[in-house]
Amino acid sequence: MAKRKLVLVGNGMAGVNCIEHILKLSPESFDITIFGAEPYPNYNRIQLSYVLQGNSGIKDIILNDWDWYEKNHIKLHAGHKVTRIDTKNKCVYTDTGLTEYYDDLILATGSNPFMLPLPGADLEGVMAYRDIKDCETMIEASKKYKKAAVIGGGLLGLEAARGLLNLGMQVDVVHIFPNLMERQLDPIAGQLLQRELEKQGMNFLLEKQTEAILGRKRVKGLKFKDGSKIEADLVVMAVGIRPNVALAKESKIKINRGIVVNDYLETNIPNVYAVGECAEHRGIVYGLVAPLYEQGAVLAKRICGVKTEPYQGSVVSTKLKVSGVDVFSAGEFMDQPDTVALRYQDDFNGIYKKVLLRNNKVVGAVLFGDTSDGARLFQMIRAGADVSEVKEMFAGAQGNQSQPAVASVADLSDDELICGCNGVTKGTIVKAIQEQGLETVEQVKGCTGASRSCGGCKPLVESILQYTLGDQFQAVEKEPICSCTTLSRDEVVEEIRSKHLTTVKEVMHVLDWSNKEGCSKCRPALNYYLGMIWPEEHQDERDSRFVNERLHANIQNDGTYSVVPRIYGGVTSPEQLRRIADVAEKYHARMVKITGGQRIDLLGIKKEDLPKVWAELEMPSGYAYGKALRTVKTCVGADFCRFGTQNSIQMGIDMEKRFERLWTPHKVKMAVSACPRNCAESGIKDVGVVGVDGGWEIYVGGNGGVQLRAAELLVKVKTPEEVLEWSAAFLQYYRESAKYLERTSHWVERVGLKKIKEVLSDPETRKSLIERLDQALAVTKDPWKEAIKDQQLRSLFEKVNIPNTIGN
Ligand SMILES: Cc1cc2nc3c(=O)[nH]c(=O)nc-3n(C[C@H](O)[C@H](O)[C@H](O)COP(=O)(O)OP(=O)(O)OC[C@H]3O[C@@H](n4cnc5c(N)ncnc54)[C@H](O)[C@@H]3O)c2cc1C
Ligand SMILES: NC(=O)c1ccc[n+]([C@@H]2O[C@H](COP(=O)([O-])OP(=O)(O)OC[C@H]3O[C@@H](n4cnc5c(N)ncnc54)[C@H](O)[C@@H]3O)[C@@H](O)[C@H]2O)c1
Ligand code: SF4
Ligand code: FES
């Protein structure tokens, strides 16, 4: 039978989730084409908040990568916006000139952020928060500007504000009502939330109505109706969303607030359906994924001709994704004349719980400070549970505050919902663990979908694992290194050692990789682990490296490269500067820039000129492109500065010469300051050394990037030799135990400084770590010199265009 042509407009969470259901129900029935206005594969919009808060990268939030579309024979047009639907001839047209015919058409165009139509709303620096681009704009802005204002104290506004704080900005949240999140919380919970967020550094301007956005070209501030003003050089509007109905409206599909659908998600036009935030069902438009996924499941069955219950609307629950704040709200939350409330408040521990009842049935709940009963209460609301069950729960809350999570999981019945977003019950998870031998949250996620969206149910899923597996449960999350394997970093490293695997291909073959070619996540990681474990034996695998490491230079947005030679300790000479100037002129560097790491960057060099530039510079590679030691920044120190207690310059040069060319799990930056005034910024480096009277202090795990982290004191030593010894041991311990792409800041937090100190305090351990570090160093060669000498390598730059299979 000929396949039906199915077209999806909107490559977002709701539409693609529906396609996933269709693929499961009827994999061979459809030729599927997806149009997405954004130039990415399907990603988890919810987790943009984690990206902004610095806990994830864009790569981590991709739900279905490009391979997924290919594997499922789906034609994806990412970056193409559908502008017209001809419902008579059943075809869609895009802004890029594409035309596609359909038998069935799903509209999943989502929402647009609402922008207040204020004077100045079009100024530079005024933005919404909805997609990857917005996230990147905020991250970029935070590098230049310091004062942000977020308009809207709802879920989105508060998550944006937390992200901007993490990015180092001062944040004012402007809210129109006296209480935050008034659409989800009662005044008591709203005030508790405000107090907690103030402690985290947010500033609130409540009951403020913005009258104008000030500034000429770029925003400078906000003016309010009461005449007051604030300064701001970034303004994020988070005042709600509007269903994206433009396309449907233009195509004469019935709309109201959203695209009007019936209980089977059908619009008024045959074979045209709508799902997600763009759809209006029984007068309601939803703005959370759980109901959208419920809609998608019904629609998938309808399209596949499988019998289904009608979609009858959803009860929703929300959780704020701000670390350190536990807030939960579901169903009704404001007292009404016909409701009674059960309340529990513990000001000492900052806990507030309210459950609303109507006719003795649970109709809503608000939790603050302890949300562990959230899943259970949500289930009770959906089931219209009786008051007696809640009374039991409250008795528990008063009697035993710290009931362990595993015990409370044991009390849950099998049909209780654990993952609200994806509709996964405890019974489904337990069954999957038992029948499929699952051991980790990642595996449960892969099998059942639980924790795949907002991630809020992760702790509960972990408790169910613990409860189901008993003694077999490993508390430490076993996170596979990528989706090609179920093995974690530690297991892969152990297998490489015990089975003596020496090449990336061999690892993938012996350890039964599901994708025989590996992926952009595992190949560079395996190449690093192999080099770390077998420094002498392993042949570096260029094809497994990120493009910048393959070419020993950073590719720029115009396709040219930047060249940063090593300048030990930031100290150069007139002769070196002359050479750099000559090379810059001869090879037409578009810019010569002093970097933050005290070196000189030649920007805009053509790829084919790279080997000539390196040869004429006669300086070693600065590894500015590599997961390796970057710079050792120094202050002028005791030789020149009246505060200096030590020779920081010499110390920095010695460290840079000692550790240059060493591959590490992620980039490593160091600094040496000659006194605690810290002019070289030793407090935010991976290894920061500070001269003090009678010696040196060594700080580790600092980071001055997206997620600021102050370095912590590892040890105080007396001599420069000891500085080198401890830094070397620390570096090798990091090399051997960190995950690939884990900065020291994350590694120190994960492993714990206490443990690192314990390991390194043993002189024998330090000695053996340093021996292994020296073995690794002994085989390193300057890559620029290699490329100059080796004709084959040189031809890589001159003739062949290296395919960019692994991005940076
Ligand atoms: C920062 C943030 C945090 C959030 N946190 C949570 C949370 O914790 N929990 C929760 O439940 N929800 C959360 N949400 C809401 C949730 O992300 C949305 O409900 C969900 O993504 C909506 O899915 P959708 O597919 O309907 O729309 P979208 O995800 O908006 O997808 C629609 C897609 O269609 C594309 N499109 C639109 N028109 C066209 C066209 N004409 N042609 C081609 N493509 C088109 C759009 O570019 C977009 O990519 C959050 C939202 C944001 C922004
Ligand atoms: N954790 C989560 O579940 C989560 C997180 C982020 C976003 N989201 C979803 O994304 C969507 C957008 O979120 P949102 O917070 O923008 O929408 P929202 O409608 O939930 O909240 C908007 C807030 O802005 C306030 N507001 C409106 N006009 C204002 C004005 N002129 N000045 C100051 N404040 C004003 C409102 O009182 C309201 O509290 C929603 O559907 C939301 O559910 C959910
Ligand atoms: S860190 Fe101390 S010694 Fe070094 S330049 Fe600054 S003030 Fe002088
Ligand atoms: S509750 Fe959101 S992913 Fe499970």
Side-chain angles (χ1 to χ4, degrees), residues 635-637 641 643-644 673-675 677-679:
C635 80
V636 291
C641 176
F643 299 111
S673 304
C675 88
R677 282 171 185 78
N678 248 329
C679 294

Side-chain angles (χ1 to χ4, degrees), residues 629-757:
L629 174 70
R630 295 277 174 94
T631 56
V632 184
K633 194 167 174 172
T634 63
C635 80
V636 291
D639 280 359
F640 298 92
C641 176
R642 63 203 163 96
F643 299 111
T645 54
Q646 302 287 355
N647 187 344
S648 50
I649 294 181
Q650 193 55 52
M651 187 72 254
I653 293 173
D654 291 349
M655 286 172 80
E656 193 155 356
K657 291 201 162 154
R658 175 85 171 97
F659 305 126
E660 66 175 323
R661 299 192 296 269
L662 190 65
W663 291 114
T664 41
H666 209 309
K667 61 186 168 193
V668 168
K669 297 180 179 185
M670 300 187 177
V672 186
S673 304
C675 88
R677 282 171 185 78
N678 248 329
C679 294
E681 297 162 343
S682 304
I684 50 165
K685 297 292 182 232
D686 297 278
V687 178
V689 178
V690 179
V692 289
D693 275 339
W696 304 87
E697 288 175 345
I698 303 177
Y699 292 82
V700 292
N703 193 319
V706 171
Q707 214 177 355
L708 266 179
R709 184 178 194 274
E712 294 176 86
L713 182 63
L714 174 70
V715 67
K716 189 174 167 189
V717 296
K718 292 201 175 102
T719 64
E721 292 72 30
E722 285 172 295
V723 171
L724 289 174
E725 178 193 339
W726 276 83
S727 319
F730 171 80
L731 216 51
Q732 183 64 9
Y733 187 38
Y734 165 59
R735 292 184 77 234
E736 291 181 5
S737 56
K739 297 175 194 168
Y740 185 65
L741 294 188
E742 187 175 35
R743 286 292 299 263
T744 62
S745 49
H746 290 121
W747 174 70
V748 168
E749 251 171 38
R750 180 168 65 83
V751 177
L753 187 69
K754 190 165 167 259
K755 161 92 181 165
I756 296 170
K757 278 182 175 176

Side-chain angles (χ1 to χ4, degrees), residues 49 52-53 129 150-165 171 173-175 180-182 184-185 190 193-194 197 200 202-204 238 320-322 325 327:
S49 293
L52 195 68
Q53 289 175 32
Y129 175 25
V150 174
I151 307 182
L155 288 158
L156 186 69
L158 296 177
E159 290 182 11
R162 180 63 256 180
L164 292 165
L165 278 180
V171 186
V173 177
V174 179
H175 191 52
L180 297 176
M181 277 176 63
E182 84 291 343
Q184 291 87 14
L185 302 180
L193 174 64
Q194 180 185 341
L197 292 174
Q200 294 196 3
M202 262 177 231
N203 184 42
F204 291 100
L320 181 69
K321 302 192 299 298
V322 167
V325 188
V327 198

Side-chain angles (χ1 to χ4, degrees), residues 72-344:
N72 289 291
H73 311 292
I74 296 172
K75 214 189 306 162
L76 170 65
H77 297 293
H80 299 255
K81 186 173 174 176
V82 174
T83 46
R84 194 163 75 82
I85 307 167
D86 178 348
T87 51
K88 240 193 195 155
N89 294 307
K90 291 189 147 187
C91 105
V92 300
Y93 301 90
T94 70
D95 58 350
T96 46
L98 302 181
T99 306
E100 189 77 39
Y101 286 86
Y102 65 82
D103 295 310
D104 296 294
L105 173 68
I106 303 175
L107 301 178
T109 49
S111 299
N112 291 320
F114 178 62
M115 299 299 279
L116 295 168
L118 297 169
D122 54 351
L123 287 172
E124 209 180 281
V126 180
M127 59 179 300
Y129 175 25
R130 179 74 192 173
D131 53 27
I132 288 183
K133 193 166 60 34
D134 296 332
C135 226
E136 288 173 343
T137 307
M138 283 190 258
I139 291 170
E140 274 312 301
S142 72
K143 293 179 185 160
K144 263 195 176 155
Y145 303 101
K146 281 288 143 257
K147 277 203 74 75
V150 174
I151 307 182
L155 288 158
L156 186 69
L158 296 177
E159 290 182 11
R162 180 63 256 180
L164 292 165
L165 278 180
N166 284 15
L167 289 168
M169 299 191 85
Q170 293 163 33
V171 186
D172 289 326
V173 177
V174 179
H175 191 52
I176 200 161
F177 289 107
N179 296 304
L180 297 176
M181 277 176 63
E182 84 291 343
R183 300 186 61 188
Q184 291 87 14
L185 302 180
D186 67 356
I188 300 180
Q191 279 153 26
L192 286 167
L193 174 64
Q194 180 185 341
R195 221 183 294 158
E196 190 53 47
L197 292 174
E198 277 169 349
K199 274 194 223 154
Q200 294 196 3
M202 262 177 231
N203 184 42
F204 291 100
L205 296 123
L206 300 177
E207 295 180 82
K208 285 273 184 195
Q209 217 171 331
T210 314
E211 188 178 69
I213 301 178
L214 309 173
R216 284 205 167 160
K217 188 158 174 273
R218 190 176 177 91
V219 57
K220 282 260 183 309
L222 295 178
K223 183 170 177 237
F224 302 109
K225 284 235 162 98
D226 62 10
S228 59
K229 291 180 188 170
I230 56 166
E231 285 177 19
D233 29 31
L234 179 73
V235 170
V236 180
M237 285 207 207
V239 291
I241 50 176
R242 300 289 180 267
N244 186 356
V245 293
L247 178 65
K249 189 175 173 190
E250 210 269 338
S251 314
K252 306 275 183 302
I253 295 165
K254 186 173 173 198
I255 57 160
N256 184 33
R257 224 154 60 80
I259 304 171
V260 177
V261 293
N262 64 15
D263 287 359
Y264 297 96
L265 291 306
E266 294 161 335
T267 68
N268 62 317
I269 306 286
N271 299 100
V272 179
Y273 312 85
V275 69
E277 282 188 348
C278 65
E280 177 179 326
H281 173 260
R282 299 191 189 178
I284 301 177
V285 175
Y286 294 93
L288 294 165
V289 290
L292 313 184
Y293 285 0
E294 288 176 34
Q295 294 174 352
V298 172
L299 175 56
K301 285 189 181 163
R302 188 69 166 181
I303 286 185
C304 293
V306 175
K307 196 165 177 305
T308 171
E309 293 288 316
Y311 174 67
Q312 306 201 40
S314 308
V315 183
V316 294
S317 71
T318 46
K319 262 185 151 190
L320 181 69
K321 302 192 299 298
V322 167
S323 63
V325 188
D326 287 325
V327 198
F328 170 87
S329 161
E332 297 182 41
F333 57 92
M334 290 297 277
D335 300 71
Q336 300 295 337
D338 63 342
T339 56
V340 287
L342 284 169
R343 286 192 175 80
Y344 170 76

Side-chain angles (χ1 to χ4, degrees), residues 419-422 451-455 457:
C419 175
C421 291
N422 297 285
S451 82
R452 192 172 176 222
S453 305
C454 72
C457 57

